[in-house]
Amino acid sequence: MTSVAPLPVAADTLMFNEAASTADVVAAQFARNHEAIVALAASLRETPPPFVATCARGSSDHACTFGKYLFETQVGVVTASASPSIGSVYAAPLKLKDALFIVISQSGKSPDLLRNAEAAKAAGARVVALVNVEDSPLAQLADVVIPLCAGPEKSVAATKSYLASLAALLQLAAHWSQDEKLLAALDALPGALRQAWAADWSPVTDGLTGAHNLFVLGRGLGLGAAQEAALKFKETCGLHAEAYSSAEVKHGPMALVGPGFPVLCFAQPDGTEAGTLALAEEFRGRGAQVWVASAHGDLPLVAAPHPACAPLLTIQSFYKAINALALARGHNPDVPPHLNKVTETV
């Protein structure tokens, strides 16, 4: 008879403790990378790239979604995701001359990301690596390395390294745009992250203990947070979740939303907020089980020092809740079945 290891208490999981350290990670990262970010931003202002291309997988790709909206709203440069398969499987050359090519990776050794970075560099792009392992092959290949400074991350589920990726993108956008409000927000962000960790999101933990599926909705700068949350539901809780833009969900998927259907809404505090809140009320009118993360919602959203910081605060509160939910559903969030910490896709 096979024995089953007892589940840890919530505060003893690696996921809990790694996520809880995010504020300190971000503060250290901002200090460590300040000079490199300022130099890179000055270079980008002097020689603006025609566009930005990002390349990543998993949680890192969700960070790239945030980067897309961040660069397009703050510096007005079109940003798109480059599929890793284009360089690794299809070996199709891309026209990337003078582009800014951002690769995000925890390990910095995934073969497909390395091949795409090599191809981008050969095509004349400026390759910037956001990477946690500073002596990795990707870091050695890149023109500019922005260390995530997250330190060792032992839980399979990425937490502090994901938020460190968002923070690095935020620091770059702030110095690239030279927006005074966004620059000031960098100083306030670690403190806001600490407040977000203390926020009580137990209603969503209690409400989803017996769920089988759900939608996670976000929009604009908050879409990447919704994507990350949906992944974490699957990864740590064995709970099927799909992420949608609160605008795109109206194009078909909302037909599934009826009585009792769970919907988690991330209301980004900017021009997209009103539409997300209105959609949440529409779903409630259908009898759906709806939770809204906002300043006045079911799930408290800590006041962001700048709207672009809100996704980091949302996810920081979410990580504490998802850790508890995984345990409530009988899963150890540190060791999801069939998953490894590093996935080396070719």
Side-chain angles (χ1 to χ4, degrees):
M1 184 173 179
T2 303
S3 62
V4 178
L7 293 174
V9 299
D12 287 344
T13 67
L14 292 170
M15 183 179 182
F16 181 98
N17 286 282
E18 288 171 356
S21 70
T22 296
D24 292 337
V25 166
V26 169
Q29 181 199 84
F30 283 168
R32 164 80 183 281
N33 294 340
H34 178 78
E35 290 186 10
I37 289 284
V38 168
L40 175 58
S43 177
L44 293 170
R45 288 194 304 273
E46 182 179 350
T47 309
F51 62 92
V52 178
T54 62
C55 194
R57 289 196 184 278
S59 291
S60 295
D61 195 37
H62 303 155
C64 290
T65 299
F66 172 72
K68 170 183 172 60
Y69 285 96
L70 185 65
F71 293 137
E72 291 185 351
T73 58
Q74 301 305 310
V75 295
V77 178
V78 171
T79 303
S81 174
S83 169
S85 297
I86 296 301
S88 64
V89 177
Y90 297 103
L94 296 177
K95 297 177 181 179
L96 296 169
K97 183 173 174 55
D98 299 327
L100 176 62
F101 193 85
I102 298 178
V103 188
I104 304 180
S105 173
Q106 293 179 56
S107 68
K109 62 180 184 179
S110 186
D112 58 348
L113 298 183
L114 290 171
R115 289 177 189 172
N116 278 273
E118 290 172 347
K121 195 168 184 179
R126 182 181 340 196
V127 177
V128 174
L130 275 57
V131 63
N132 200 33
V133 180
E134 296 182 39
D135 60 352
S136 63
L138 179 60
Q140 295 170 17
L141 171 66
D143 297 304
V144 178
V145 179
I146 304 300
L148 297 181
C149 303
E153 191 173 52
K154 297 179 181 179
S155 178
V156 170
T159 53
K160 60 179 179 175
S161 63
Y162 170 74
L163 286 172
S165 299
L166 268 59
L169 293 167
L170 197 65
Q171 188 180 27
L172 175 57
H175 286 281
W176 188 355
S177 66
Q178 294 189 306
D179 181 275
E180 292 184 2
K181 292 183 178 179
L182 189 53
L183 286 166
L186 298 179
D187 294 331
L189 182 57
L193 284 165
R194 293 186 180 93
Q195 294 178 46
W197 184 249
D200 180 12
W201 278 34
S202 59
V204 77
T205 299
D206 297 339
L208 289 174
T209 300
H212 299 289
N213 49 57
L214 78 152
F215 284 170
V216 188
L217 307 182
R219 190 174 180 186
L221 286 160
L223 179 58
Q227 293 172 334
E228 170 65 5
L231 174 63
K232 288 296 185 286
F233 279 121
K234 299 169 189 171
E235 185 177 36
T236 66
C237 299
L239 175 54
H240 180 239
E242 294 297 331
Y244 291 101
S245 161
S246 56
E248 293 298 329
V249 75
K250 294 184 176 182
H251 296 271
M254 70 184 304
L256 297 175
V257 180
F261 192 97
V263 181
L264 173 59
C265 298
F266 293 160
Q268 172 69 18
D270 57 24
T272 67
E273 182 178 42
T276 300
L277 295 177
L279 183 64
E281 286 306 306
E282 181 179 345
F283 284 162
R284 283 196 175 108
R286 297 184 184 190
Q289 192 175 18
V290 180
W291 298 271
V292 178
S294 75
H296 307 289
D298 318 87
L299 307 174
L301 180 61
V302 171
H306 187 284
C309 297
L312 287 82
L313 307 179
T314 300
I315 287 296
Q316 180 69 337
S317 297
F318 171 80
Y319 280 155
K320 189 175 182 180
I322 196 73
N323 178 74
L325 177 61
L327 294 167
R329 290 172 62 89
H331 296 263
N332 186 335
D334 292 335
V335 286
H338 317 302
L339 295 177
N340 297 310
K341 182 61 182 172
V342 177
T343 301
E344 296 188 11
T345 310
V346 294

